[in-house]
Amino acid sequence: MFEFLKNIMNKEEKTLTNDVSSLHRILKTDIKKDPNPQEEEIIFGCGCFWGAEKCFWKLPGVVTTSVGYAGGDKTKPTYYEVCSGLTGHSEVVRVIWDKSEIDISDLLKMFWECHDPTQKNRQGNDIGTQYRSAIYYKNENNKKIILASKEQYQKELNKKKFGLIETEIKMIDTYFYAENYHQQYLASTGSRQYCSASPTKVKLGSFAGSNYKLNDYIWENFNWEVDKCVLRSDNNPIKNNI
Ligand code: MHO
Protein backbone atom coordinates (compact mmCIF):
# COMPACT_ATOMS: atom_id res chain seq x y z
CA MET A 1 0.00 0.00 0.00
CA PHE A 2 2.75 2.40 0.98
CA GLU A 3 4.70 1.63 -2.22
CA PHE A 4 1.55 2.26 -4.22
CA LEU A 5 1.09 5.72 -2.68
CA LYS A 6 4.74 6.51 -3.10
CA ASN A 7 4.52 5.70 -6.82
CA ILE A 8 1.56 8.00 -7.28
CA MET A 9 3.29 10.79 -5.40
CA ASN A 10 6.47 10.39 -7.43
CA LYS A 11 4.46 10.59 -10.62
CA GLU A 12 2.74 13.76 -9.46
CA GLU A 13 6.01 15.30 -8.49
CA LYS A 14 7.43 14.54 -11.93
CA THR A 15 4.42 16.06 -13.63
CA LEU A 16 4.77 19.16 -11.49
CA THR A 17 8.45 19.42 -12.25
CA ASN A 18 7.88 19.14 -15.98
CA ASP A 19 4.84 21.35 -16.24
CA VAL A 20 5.20 24.00 -13.62
CA SER A 21 8.56 24.40 -12.05
CA SER A 22 10.29 26.07 -14.99
CA LEU A 23 7.69 28.76 -15.53
CA HIS A 24 8.16 32.03 -13.67
CA ARG A 25 4.83 32.72 -11.97
CA ILE A 26 4.95 36.42 -12.81
CA LEU A 27 7.32 36.97 -15.73
CA LYS A 28 6.14 33.81 -17.53
CA THR A 29 9.70 33.09 -18.63
CA ASP A 30 11.71 29.91 -18.17
CA ILE A 31 13.49 30.15 -14.83
CA LYS A 32 15.96 27.50 -15.98
CA LYS A 33 16.98 29.25 -19.18
CA ASP A 34 20.55 30.18 -20.01
CA PRO A 35 21.26 33.79 -20.89
CA ASN A 36 21.21 34.56 -24.61
CA PRO A 37 23.94 36.80 -26.14
CA GLN A 38 22.37 40.08 -24.99
CA GLU A 39 21.68 38.76 -21.51
CA GLU A 40 23.79 37.94 -18.47
CA GLU A 41 23.32 36.17 -15.17
CA ILE A 42 24.38 36.81 -11.59
CA ILE A 43 23.56 35.39 -8.17
CA PHE A 44 22.72 37.46 -5.10
CA GLY A 45 22.33 36.43 -1.48
CA CYS A 46 20.55 39.03 0.68
CA GLY A 47 19.03 36.96 3.46
CA CYS A 48 15.79 35.00 3.09
CA PHE A 49 15.33 34.47 -0.65
CA TRP A 50 11.56 35.02 -0.72
CA GLY A 51 11.65 38.84 -0.51
CA ALA A 52 14.97 39.15 -2.31
CA GLU A 53 13.61 37.43 -5.40
CA LYS A 54 10.63 39.78 -5.55
CA CYS A 55 12.91 42.86 -5.41
CA PHE A 56 14.68 41.68 -8.55
CA TRP A 57 11.77 40.33 -10.62
CA LYS A 58 10.05 43.72 -10.29
CA LEU A 59 12.86 45.55 -12.09
CA PRO A 60 12.20 46.21 -15.78
CA GLY A 61 14.76 44.45 -17.94
CA VAL A 62 15.03 41.45 -15.64
CA VAL A 63 14.22 38.48 -17.85
CA THR A 64 13.86 35.82 -15.21
CA THR A 65 14.63 35.07 -11.58
CA SER A 66 14.68 31.99 -9.44
CA VAL A 67 15.71 31.08 -5.93
CA GLY A 68 18.28 28.50 -4.99
CA TYR A 69 21.31 27.55 -2.98
CA ALA A 70 24.93 28.44 -3.73
CA GLY A 71 28.31 28.90 -2.13
CA GLY A 72 28.33 25.64 -0.18
CA ASP A 73 29.50 22.08 -0.58
CA LYS A 74 26.57 19.73 -0.82
CA THR A 75 25.22 18.74 -4.22
CA LYS A 76 21.47 19.26 -4.66
CA PRO A 77 20.74 20.28 -1.08
CA THR A 78 17.17 20.48 0.18
CA TYR A 79 15.73 23.54 1.92
CA TYR A 80 15.80 21.73 5.24
CA GLU A 81 19.45 20.79 4.83
CA VAL A 82 20.34 24.39 3.97
CA CYS A 83 18.30 25.63 6.95
CA SER A 84 20.44 23.52 9.23
CA GLY A 85 23.37 25.75 8.29
CA LEU A 86 25.49 22.62 7.77
CA THR A 87 25.68 22.57 3.96
CA GLY A 88 27.57 25.85 3.72
CA HIS A 89 25.10 27.17 1.17
CA SER A 90 23.51 30.56 1.16
CA GLU A 91 19.89 31.26 0.13
CA VAL A 92 20.26 33.10 -3.17
CA VAL A 93 18.45 34.62 -6.14
CA ARG A 94 19.60 33.93 -9.68
CA VAL A 95 18.93 36.88 -11.97
CA ILE A 96 19.10 36.99 -15.76
CA TRP A 97 18.93 40.47 -17.21
CA ASP A 98 18.70 42.04 -20.65
CA LYS A 99 21.68 44.35 -21.02
CA SER A 100 19.84 46.65 -23.42
CA GLU A 101 17.22 47.48 -20.77
CA ILE A 102 18.95 47.38 -17.41
CA ASP A 103 22.58 47.67 -16.37
CA ILE A 104 24.46 45.63 -13.80
CA SER A 105 24.80 48.93 -11.86
CA ASP A 106 21.01 48.94 -11.36
CA LEU A 107 21.11 45.39 -10.06
CA LEU A 108 23.98 46.25 -7.73
CA LYS A 109 22.04 49.28 -6.45
CA MET A 110 19.13 46.99 -5.64
CA PHE A 111 21.45 44.47 -4.03
CA TRP A 112 23.23 46.89 -1.70
CA GLU A 113 20.12 48.87 -0.77
CA CYS A 114 17.64 46.02 -0.19
CA HIS A 115 19.39 44.51 2.82
CA ASP A 116 22.07 45.27 5.40
CA PRO A 117 25.35 43.87 4.07
CA THR A 118 27.15 44.74 7.31
CA GLN A 119 25.31 41.98 9.17
CA LYS A 120 27.48 38.87 9.29
CA ASN A 121 25.72 35.55 8.70
CA ARG A 122 22.36 37.05 9.44
CA GLN A 123 19.64 39.33 8.09
CA GLY A 124 17.33 40.73 10.71
CA ASN A 125 15.63 37.88 12.54
CA ASP A 126 17.10 35.27 10.22
CA ILE A 127 20.34 34.04 11.71
CA GLY A 128 22.83 31.54 10.24
CA THR A 129 25.37 31.23 7.46
CA GLN A 130 22.54 30.47 5.01
CA TYR A 131 21.43 34.11 5.36
CA ARG A 132 24.82 35.63 4.61
CA SER A 133 25.19 38.47 2.17
CA ALA A 134 26.79 37.29 -1.08
CA ILE A 135 27.44 38.13 -4.69
CA TYR A 136 28.38 35.16 -6.82
CA TYR A 137 29.31 36.24 -10.30
CA LYS A 138 29.56 33.96 -13.30
CA ASN A 139 31.35 36.34 -15.60
CA GLU A 140 34.86 37.41 -14.60
CA ASN A 141 34.27 40.70 -16.46
CA ASN A 142 31.79 41.72 -13.79
CA LYS A 143 34.26 41.50 -10.91
CA LYS A 144 35.62 45.02 -11.30
CA ILE A 145 32.28 46.78 -11.24
CA ILE A 146 31.04 44.67 -8.33
CA LEU A 147 34.10 45.63 -6.27
CA ALA A 148 33.79 49.29 -7.29
CA SER A 149 30.16 49.32 -6.13
CA LYS A 150 31.17 47.72 -2.84
CA GLU A 151 33.87 50.33 -2.28
CA GLN A 152 31.41 53.15 -2.95
CA TYR A 153 28.73 51.65 -0.73
CA GLN A 154 31.23 51.24 2.10
CA LYS A 155 32.06 54.96 1.81
CA GLU A 156 28.37 55.84 2.03
CA LEU A 157 27.89 53.45 4.96
CA ASN A 158 30.83 54.98 6.79
CA LYS A 159 29.14 58.40 6.66
CA LYS A 160 26.22 56.87 8.57
CA LYS A 161 28.48 55.04 11.04
CA PHE A 162 27.74 51.54 9.79
CA GLY A 163 30.42 48.86 10.14
CA LEU A 164 32.23 46.91 7.46
CA ILE A 165 30.54 45.13 4.58
CA GLU A 166 30.50 41.36 5.19
CA THR A 167 29.38 40.34 1.70
CA GLU A 168 31.06 37.26 0.27
CA ILE A 169 32.07 38.07 -3.30
CA LYS A 170 33.37 35.35 -5.57
CA MET A 171 33.12 33.70 -8.92
CA ILE A 172 30.98 30.62 -8.79
CA ASP A 173 29.78 27.99 -11.18
CA THR A 174 27.35 25.94 -9.19
CA TYR A 175 23.81 26.91 -8.36
CA PHE A 176 21.08 24.55 -7.21
CA TYR A 177 17.45 25.46 -7.82
CA ALA A 178 15.37 25.51 -4.67
CA GLU A 179 12.19 23.48 -4.49
CA ASN A 180 9.26 24.63 -6.61
CA TYR A 181 7.47 25.70 -3.42
CA HIS A 182 10.01 28.49 -2.88
CA GLN A 183 10.02 29.84 -6.45
CA GLN A 184 8.32 33.28 -6.54
CA TYR A 185 7.01 32.27 -3.13
CA LEU A 186 5.59 35.68 -2.21
CA ALA A 187 3.45 35.58 -5.36
CA SER A 188 2.05 32.13 -4.72
CA THR A 189 -1.45 31.70 -3.39
CA GLY A 190 -1.66 31.43 0.38
CA SER A 191 2.01 32.21 0.96
CA ARG A 192 3.18 33.70 4.24
CA GLN A 193 4.11 37.33 3.59
CA TYR A 194 7.40 37.19 5.42
CA CYS A 195 10.47 39.39 5.06
CA SER A 196 13.31 39.98 7.45
CA ALA A 197 15.54 42.19 5.31
CA SER A 198 16.96 45.15 7.19
CA PRO A 199 17.84 47.80 4.59
CA THR A 200 20.32 50.39 5.84
CA LYS A 201 18.43 53.24 4.07
CA VAL A 202 21.80 54.30 2.65
CA LYS A 203 21.78 54.94 -1.12
CA LEU A 204 24.50 53.72 -3.48
CA GLY A 205 24.78 56.63 -5.94
CA SER A 206 27.24 56.68 -8.83
CA PHE A 207 30.53 54.81 -8.66
CA ALA A 208 33.46 53.95 -10.93
CA GLY A 209 32.03 52.28 -14.02
CA SER A 210 28.36 52.80 -13.10
CA ASN A 211 25.99 53.25 -16.00
CA TYR A 212 22.48 53.27 -14.56
CA LYS A 213 19.66 52.63 -16.99
CA LEU A 214 16.65 52.77 -14.66
CA ASN A 215 15.23 56.18 -13.84
CA ASP A 216 14.14 57.61 -10.48
CA TYR A 217 10.53 56.64 -11.11
CA ILE A 218 11.49 52.98 -10.88
CA TRP A 219 13.33 53.49 -7.60
CA GLU A 220 10.41 55.37 -6.07
CA ASN A 221 8.67 51.99 -5.99
CA PHE A 222 11.12 50.90 -3.29
CA ASN A 223 10.86 53.05 -0.21
CA TRP A 224 13.33 51.53 2.22
CA GLU A 225 12.13 53.94 4.93
CA VAL A 226 8.96 51.85 5.07
CA ASP A 227 9.32 48.65 7.06
CA LYS A 228 9.08 45.54 4.83
CA CYS A 229 8.27 47.68 1.79
CA VAL A 230 8.72 44.71 -0.53
CA LEU A 231 5.70 43.00 1.00
CA ARG A 232 3.56 46.08 0.52
CA SER A 233 4.06 46.40 -3.23
CA ASP A 234 2.21 44.35 -5.80
CA ASN A 235 3.84 41.44 -7.54
CA ASN A 236 3.99 42.79 -11.07
CA PRO A 237 7.14 44.13 -12.66
CA ILE A 238 7.32 47.92 -12.69
CA LYS A 239 6.54 49.38 -16.09
CA ASN A 240 9.30 51.48 -17.56
CA ASN A 241 7.28 54.52 -18.65
CA ILE A 242 10.04 56.61 -20.17
N1 MHO B 1 12.63 32.51 9.30
C1 MHO B 1 11.90 32.25 8.09
C2 MHO B 1 12.83 32.18 6.94
C3 MHO B 1 12.22 31.80 5.67
S1 MHO B 1 13.30 31.91 4.43
C4 MHO B 1 12.78 31.11 3.11
C5 MHO B 1 11.11 30.99 8.25
O1 MHO B 1 11.59 30.10 8.95
O2 MHO B 1 10.06 30.88 7.69
O3 MHO B 1 14.55 31.41 4.83
PDB file of all heavy atoms in Angstrom, residues 48-50 79 91 126 131 182 192 194, ligand 1:
ATOM      1  N   CYS A  48      16.869  35.884   3.554  1.00  0.00           N
ATOM      2  CA  CYS A  48      15.788  34.998   3.087  1.00  0.00           C
ATOM      3  C   CYS A  48      15.472  35.285   1.614  1.00  0.00           C
ATOM      4  O   CYS A  48      15.245  36.434   1.227  1.00  0.00           O
ATOM      5  CB  CYS A  48      14.551  35.234   3.943  1.00  0.00           C
ATOM      6  SG  CYS A  48      13.078  34.410   3.309  1.00  0.00           S
ATOM      7  N   PHE A  49      15.456  34.236   0.799  1.00  0.00           N
ATOM      8  CA  PHE A  49      15.334  34.470  -0.647  1.00  0.00           C
ATOM      9  C   PHE A  49      13.939  34.839  -1.129  1.00  0.00           C
ATOM     10  O   PHE A  49      13.771  35.272  -2.262  1.00  0.00           O
ATOM     11  CB  PHE A  49      15.937  33.317  -1.462  1.00  0.00           C
ATOM     12  CG  PHE A  49      15.496  31.899  -1.141  1.00  0.00           C
ATOM     13  CD1 PHE A  49      14.294  31.615  -0.519  1.00  0.00           C
ATOM     14  CD2 PHE A  49      16.321  30.826  -1.516  1.00  0.00           C
ATOM     15  CE1 PHE A  49      13.911  30.290  -0.259  1.00  0.00           C
ATOM     16  CE2 PHE A  49      15.949  29.506  -1.264  1.00  0.00           C
ATOM     17  CZ  PHE A  49      14.737  29.246  -0.632  1.00  0.00           C
ATOM     18  N   TRP A  50      12.933  34.707  -0.269  1.00  0.00           N
ATOM     19  CA  TRP A  50      11.564  35.023  -0.720  1.00  0.00           C
ATOM     20  C   TRP A  50      11.441  36.496  -1.145  1.00  0.00           C
ATOM     21  O   TRP A  50      11.006  36.803  -2.238  1.00  0.00           O
ATOM     22  CB  TRP A  50      10.540  34.744   0.375  1.00  0.00           C
ATOM     23  CG  TRP A  50      10.359  33.292   0.724  1.00  0.00           C
ATOM     24  CD1 TRP A  50      10.684  32.215  -0.050  1.00  0.00           C
ATOM     25  CD2 TRP A  50       9.787  32.771   1.931  1.00  0.00           C
ATOM     26  NE1 TRP A  50      10.344  31.055   0.619  1.00  0.00           N
ATOM     27  CE2 TRP A  50       9.794  31.362   1.821  1.00  0.00           C
ATOM     28  CE3 TRP A  50       9.269  33.344   3.091  1.00  0.00           C
ATOM     29  CZ2 TRP A  50       9.298  30.533   2.820  1.00  0.00           C
ATOM     30  CZ3 TRP A  50       8.766  32.517   4.093  1.00  0.00           C
ATOM     31  CH2 TRP A  50       8.784  31.124   3.962  1.00  0.00           C
ATOM     32  N   TYR A  79      15.932  22.348   1.087  1.00  0.00           N
ATOM     33  CA  TYR A  79      15.732  23.536   1.918  1.00  0.00           C
ATOM     34  C   TYR A  79      16.058  23.225   3.381  1.00  0.00           C
ATOM     35  O   TYR A  79      16.726  23.993   4.056  1.00  0.00           O
ATOM     36  CB  TYR A  79      14.273  24.012   1.775  1.00  0.00           C
ATOM     37  CG  TYR A  79      13.932  25.192   2.644  1.00  0.00           C
ATOM     38  CD1 TYR A  79      14.547  26.425   2.446  1.00  0.00           C
ATOM     39  CD2 TYR A  79      13.001  25.077   3.678  1.00  0.00           C
ATOM     40  CE1 TYR A  79      14.245  27.521   3.242  1.00  0.00           C
ATOM     41  CE2 TYR A  79      12.691  26.168   4.481  1.00  0.00           C
ATOM     42  CZ  TYR A  79      13.307  27.379   4.255  1.00  0.00           C
ATOM     43  OH  TYR A  79      13.011  28.460   5.044  1.00  0.00           O
ATOM     44  N   GLU A  91      21.134  31.107   0.899  1.00  0.00           N
ATOM     45  CA  GLU A  91      19.887  31.263   0.126  1.00  0.00           C
ATOM     46  C   GLU A  91      20.131  32.390  -0.869  1.00  0.00           C
ATOM     47  O   GLU A  91      20.512  33.495  -0.475  1.00  0.00           O
ATOM     48  CB  GLU A  91      18.720  31.643   1.040  1.00  0.00           C
ATOM     49  CG  GLU A  91      18.263  30.516   1.915  1.00  0.00           C
ATOM     50  CD  GLU A  91      16.909  30.793   2.579  1.00  0.00           C
ATOM     51  OE1 GLU A  91      16.212  31.762   2.203  1.00  0.00           O
ATOM     52  OE2 GLU A  91      16.561  30.027   3.491  1.00  0.00           O
ATOM     53  N   ASP A 126      16.604  36.524  10.788  1.00  0.00           N
ATOM     54  CA  ASP A 126      17.104  35.267  10.223  1.00  0.00           C
ATOM     55  C   ASP A 126      18.601  35.149  10.482  1.00  0.00           C
ATOM     56  O   ASP A 126      19.393  35.934   9.949  1.00  0.00           O
ATOM     57  CB  ASP A 126      16.828  35.211   8.712  1.00  0.00           C
ATOM     58  CG  ASP A 126      15.333  35.107   8.424  1.00  0.00           C
ATOM     59  OD1 ASP A 126      14.604  34.529   9.254  1.00  0.00           O
ATOM     60  OD2 ASP A 126      14.903  35.606   7.375  1.00  0.00           O
ATOM     61  N   TYR A 131      21.998  32.773   5.611  1.00  0.00           N
ATOM     62  CA  TYR A 131      21.431  34.111   5.364  1.00  0.00           C
ATOM     63  C   TYR A 131      22.516  35.147   5.084  1.00  0.00           C
ATOM     64  O   TYR A 131      22.257  36.349   5.132  1.00  0.00           O
ATOM     65  CB  TYR A 131      20.570  34.540   6.562  1.00  0.00           C
ATOM     66  CG  TYR A 131      19.392  33.618   6.763  1.00  0.00           C
ATOM     67  CD1 TYR A 131      19.296  32.792   7.886  1.00  0.00           C
ATOM     68  CD2 TYR A 131      18.386  33.556   5.812  1.00  0.00           C
ATOM     69  CE1 TYR A 131      18.226  31.928   8.045  1.00  0.00           C
ATOM     70  CE2 TYR A 131      17.311  32.693   5.965  1.00  0.00           C
ATOM     71  CZ  TYR A 131      17.241  31.882   7.086  1.00  0.00           C
ATOM     72  OH  TYR A 131      16.174  31.032   7.239  1.00  0.00           O
ATOM     73  N   HIS A 182       9.370  27.212  -3.229  1.00  0.00           N
ATOM     74  CA  HIS A 182      10.010  28.487  -2.878  1.00  0.00           C
ATOM     75  C   HIS A 182      10.126  29.457  -4.059  1.00  0.00           C
ATOM     76  O   HIS A 182      10.466  30.621  -3.865  1.00  0.00           O
ATOM     77  CB  HIS A 182      11.420  28.233  -2.325  1.00  0.00           C
ATOM     78  CG  HIS A 182      11.407  27.545  -0.997  1.00  0.00           C
ATOM     79  ND1 HIS A 182      11.009  28.175   0.166  1.00  0.00           N
ATOM     80  CD2 HIS A 182      11.711  26.271  -0.664  1.00  0.00           C
ATOM     81  CE1 HIS A 182      11.082  27.322   1.168  1.00  0.00           C
ATOM     82  NE2 HIS A 182      11.502  26.161   0.697  1.00  0.00           N
ATOM     83  N   ARG A 192       2.996  32.874   3.047  1.00  0.00           N
ATOM     84  CA  ARG A 192       3.178  33.699   4.244  1.00  0.00           C
ATOM     85  C   ARG A 192       3.975  34.928   3.833  1.00  0.00           C
ATOM     86  O   ARG A 192       5.080  34.808   3.306  1.00  0.00           O
ATOM     87  CB  ARG A 192       3.958  32.872   5.269  1.00  0.00           C
ATOM     88  CG  ARG A 192       3.983  33.418   6.657  1.00  0.00           C
ATOM     89  CD  ARG A 192       4.251  32.279   7.649  1.00  0.00           C
ATOM     90  NE  ARG A 192       5.435  31.508   7.301  1.00  0.00           N
ATOM     91  CZ  ARG A 192       6.674  31.797   7.720  1.00  0.00           C
ATOM     92  NH1 ARG A 192       6.884  32.843   8.494  1.00  0.00           N
ATOM     93  NH2 ARG A 192       7.689  31.041   7.391  1.00  0.00           N
ATOM     94  N   TYR A 194       6.308  37.058   4.469  1.00  0.00           N
ATOM     95  CA  TYR A 194       7.396  37.192   5.425  1.00  0.00           C
ATOM     96  C   TYR A 194       8.611  37.855   4.786  1.00  0.00           C
ATOM     97  O   TYR A 194       8.958  37.556   3.646  1.00  0.00           O
ATOM     98  CB  TYR A 194       7.803  35.800   5.936  1.00  0.00           C
ATOM     99  CG  TYR A 194       9.015  35.810   6.833  1.00  0.00           C
ATOM    100  CD1 TYR A 194       8.887  36.016   8.204  1.00  0.00           C
ATOM    101  CD2 TYR A 194      10.294  35.618   6.305  1.00  0.00           C
ATOM    102  CE1 TYR A 194      10.010  36.036   9.023  1.00  0.00           C
ATOM    103  CE2 TYR A 194      11.414  35.642   7.123  1.00  0.00           C
ATOM    104  CZ  TYR A 194      11.268  35.851   8.477  1.00  0.00           C
ATOM    105  OH  TYR A 194      12.377  35.871   9.287  1.00  0.00           O
TER     106      TYR A 194
HETATM  107  N1  MHO B   1      12.627  32.515   9.301  1.00  0.00           N
HETATM  108  C1  MHO B   1      11.900  32.251   8.095  1.00  0.00           C
HETATM  109  C2  MHO B   1      12.829  32.175   6.945  1.00  0.00           C
HETATM  110  C3  MHO B   1      12.215  31.800   5.668  1.00  0.00           C
HETATM  111  S1  MHO B   1      13.303  31.910   4.433  1.00  0.00           S
HETATM  112  C4  MHO B   1      12.775  31.110   3.114  1.00  0.00           C
HETATM  113  C5  MHO B   1      11.112  30.990   8.251  1.00  0.00           C
HETATM  114  O1  MHO B   1      11.592  30.104   8.946  1.00  0.00           O
HETATM  115  O2  MHO B   1      10.064  30.882   7.686  1.00  0.00           O
HETATM  116  O3  MHO B   1      14.546  31.413   4.825  1.00  0.00           O
END
